[in-house]
Amino acid sequence: MGVQVGIVGKPNVGKSTFFAAATLSPVETGNYPFTTVDPNKGVAHVVDECPCRRFGVECDPRNSECVDGRRFVPVELIDVAGLVPGAHEGRGLGNQFLDDLRQATVLIHVVDAAGATDEEGRPCEPCSRDPVEDVRFLERELDEWIAGILSRDWDRTVKRASLEKKPVSEVLRERLAGIGVSLEDVERALDESGVPDNLEEWSEEDLRRFAREIRRVNKPMVIAANKADVDCAEEYIERLKREVEYPVVPTCAEAELALRRAAERGLIRYLPGEGDFEVLKEDELSDRQREALEFIRERVLERWGSTGVQEALNTAVFDVAGMILVYPVENESKLSDSEGRVLPDAFLVRKGTTVRELAYKIHTDLGQSFNRAVVLRPDGSREVVGEDYELEHGDVVKIQTS
Ligand SMILES: Nc1nc2c(ncn2[C@@H]2O[C@H](COP(=O)(O)OP(=O)(O)OP(=O)(O)O)[C@@H](O)[C@H]2O)c(=O)[nH]1
Ligand SMILES: [Mg+2]
């Protein structure tokens, strides 16, 4: 499965606006197939410099898009139902919210940096609700949810495990398999939480501490401080940056949506992530549209550098989830696949992935018959590497079979 990004937060903070903006195609046509299975699931993109620039070639992508030397690589985005306090006990759309999150690789927690919605997402006096509170509350809900999954039938599980002499990490992984927790996640969380080695000695408090670490390793998070166009946002964003352990990206989802829509209609030239746009059809703009665009330029782009939506996605996938992009090719000199498509695919893999693991991801046969690989450089040099070579972000690599 690919990378799944979950958009979470209390009601009314702008999750659906963020989702709508991020899933509007950033480019004219998508040339890879995708179908929307669910209204709240869609395809968004992370963006990086395309290697075509460094190599001075013209690319012909298949699983992604290249516009002006920027490579747009698809990821799955989920608009999760608004979370209210007590969700883990089933309040609001509680369980649906949590179910939606099970397979998420990383979360974008959208908060209202205008401070104009209370803890349940109801409108309140602007600048009166501290978004740091919302971060704490979401952490608590997630922790309770995970602790709840762990503690179901706890005594029986512990007894059985000790009879069967099953390793602790295996027992815990099985319990948490439904939320996509790996053995590696469990081992890291065991390490970080410092709980007893023997499950029979775990107190209620140990279980919670462990649940908290699982959340930190398995559902890492970036904060999208949304509604950054509103007056008191600046102050709240500073506060968030000081108080929380996650990256904080100021966003204005509404502006991103307006820009992408205008670009889609050919009214402006705008690429997601950029700090400005260019009006293409001045005479087709209504006065209201012109005003809205001016507002976006002054209040959002000039103030924050961009709308932040693209930056939030990139930060989530690259910095927080620790993914990198690599480009496998078959033909070394042309940097193409067997059909002659230049730099056809961008693969999102975890940092630390070896070149052999990449081969397996491309095709089981390729993994099995792997012999060595060649990392190609723009200056024409090539580095022959063995199966344990850990891929680096941006690597263009040819896999050789025996
Ligand atoms: N000022 C401002 N308002 C925004 C921004 N993004 C969204 N909004 C407004 O916030 C309100 C809520 O937006 P939604 O996207 O529906 O919020 P949500 O989080 O999906 O809400 P639920 O689905 O109820 O959980 C709408 O009135 C949006 O227009 C923004 O960047 N700036
Ligand atoms: Mg919504």
Side-chain angles (χ1 to χ4, degrees), residues 70-264:
R70 314 281 297 154
R71 185 65 80 111
F72 290 80
V73 182
V75 293
E76 193 179 335
L77 196 64
I78 319 170
D79 181 11
V80 177
L83 175 77
V84 297
H88 69 278
E89 295 162 337
R91 273 203 70 215
L93 290 169
N95 292 324
Q96 181 193 329
F97 161 87
L98 296 162
D99 279 349
D100 278 350
L101 277 185
R102 286 161 17 130
Q103 298 305 322
T105 320
V106 56
L107 308 181
I108 295 179
H109 181 186
V110 182
V111 300
D112 175 3
T117 36
D118 72 9
E119 60 167 7
E120 307 238 336
R122 288 175 299 236
C124 63
E125 184 94 7
C127 313
S128 71
R129 167 74 182 179
D130 180 357
V132 172
E133 295 292 318
D134 294 329
V135 176
R136 301 296 175 229
F137 139 75
L138 188 98
E139 290 173 338
R140 266 199 311 277
E141 286 296 330
L142 292 175
D143 292 351
E144 291 293 331
W145 171 55
I146 295 169
I149 294 171
L150 275 171
S151 60
R152 228 168 282 148
D153 279 335
W154 178 254
D155 292 341
R156 220 176 58 201
T157 309
V158 170
K159 243 181 241 142
R160 180 157 3 108
S162 104
L163 279 176
E164 293 173 1
K165 298 203 165 38
K166 233 188 212 173
V168 166
S169 50
E170 187 48 37
V171 176
L172 295 168
R173 191 199 62 81
E174 276 174 22
R175 301 238 94 194
L176 296 169
I179 59 170
V181 170
S182 66
L183 204 54
E184 209 186 337
D185 289 345
V186 168
E187 273 155 12
R188 254 179 72 196
L190 282 171
D191 235 35
E192 300 278 324
S193 56
V195 290
D197 294 334
N198 186 344
L199 286 180
E200 282 167 304
E201 289 168 27
W202 278 29
S203 65
E204 182 81 25
E205 176 52 32
D206 290 326
L207 192 139
R208 278 171 198 285
R209 269 224 308 276
F210 175 73
R212 180 161 166 267
E213 292 307 326
I214 282 289
R215 187 253 303 157
R216 291 174 66 179
V217 299
N218 182 258
K219 302 289 176 230
M221 196 144 54
V222 48
I223 308 294
N226 196 40
K227 310 193 186 178
D229 51 301
V230 176
D231 277 342
C232 45
E234 223 140 321
E235 209 175 297
Y236 278 136
I237 287 164
E238 280 315 306
R239 224 183 107 61
L240 280 163
K241 286 184 174 166
R242 267 200 319 272
E243 301 284 327
V244 308
E245 65 177 282
Y246 316 100
V248 176
V249 181
T251 60
C252 182
E254 219 166 45
E256 180 72 9
L257 186 59
L259 291 174
R260 287 210 196 186
R261 283 192 174 143
E264 198 177 43

Side-chain angles (χ1 to χ4, degrees), residues 192-380:
E192 300 278 324
S193 56
V195 290
D197 294 334
N198 186 344
L199 286 180
E200 282 167 304
E201 289 168 27
W202 278 29
S203 65
E204 182 81 25
E205 176 52 32
D206 290 326
L207 192 139
R208 278 171 198 285
R209 269 224 308 276
F210 175 73
R212 180 161 166 267
E213 292 307 326
I214 282 289
R215 187 253 303 157
R216 291 174 66 179
V217 299
N218 182 258
K219 302 289 176 230
M221 196 144 54
V222 48
I223 308 294
N226 196 40
K227 310 193 186 178
D229 51 301
V230 176
D231 277 342
C232 45
E234 223 140 321
E235 209 175 297
Y236 278 136
I237 287 164
E238 280 315 306
R239 224 183 107 61
L240 280 163
K241 286 184 174 166
R242 267 200 319 272
E243 301 284 327
V244 308
E245 65 177 282
Y246 316 100
V248 176
V249 181
T251 60
C252 182
E254 219 166 45
E256 180 72 9
L257 186 59
L259 291 174
R260 287 210 196 186
R261 283 192 174 143
E264 198 177 43
R265 278 187 248 132
L267 298 171
I268 63 171
R269 190 202 154 279
Y270 169 71
L271 272 188
E274 289 190 348
D276 202 4
F277 57 86
E278 182 194 340
V279 175
L280 296 175
K281 295 181 181 161
E282 184 70 57
D283 45 336
E284 282 181 35
L285 292 179
S286 68
D287 287 345
R288 257 191 67 210
Q289 283 171 321
R290 196 168 295 120
E291 261 170 47
L293 287 173
E294 228 13 76
F295 176 86
I296 289 171
R297 186 174 265 143
E298 275 169 27
R299 291 293 293 253
V300 182
L301 301 178
E302 281 172 10
R303 192 157 164 205
W304 298 108
S306 78
T307 70
V309 168
Q310 191 58 58
E311 190 187 336
L313 285 162
N314 270 31
T315 303
V317 173
F318 295 132
D319 303 346
V320 176
M323 310 294 290
I324 58 171
L325 281 171
V326 296
Y327 300 81
V329 297
E330 282 177 55
N331 185 308
E332 271 188 47
S333 55
K334 295 196 182 112
L335 306 181
S336 70
D337 63 10
S338 56
E339 294 159 20
R341 298 187 75 147
V342 176
L343 295 166
D345 295 325
F347 268 72
L348 267 173
V349 297
R350 255 173 225 290
K351 213 176 279 166
T353 297
T354 65
V355 71
R356 180 151 205 176
E357 287 166 341
L358 173 68
Y360 268 107
K361 274 182 204 290
I362 297 169
H363 206 287
T364 312
D365 287 349
L366 196 61
Q368 277 163 352
S369 55
F370 178 95
N371 180 25
R372 56 186 193 164
V374 185
V375 179
L376 305 164
R377 311 254 187 248
D379 63 4

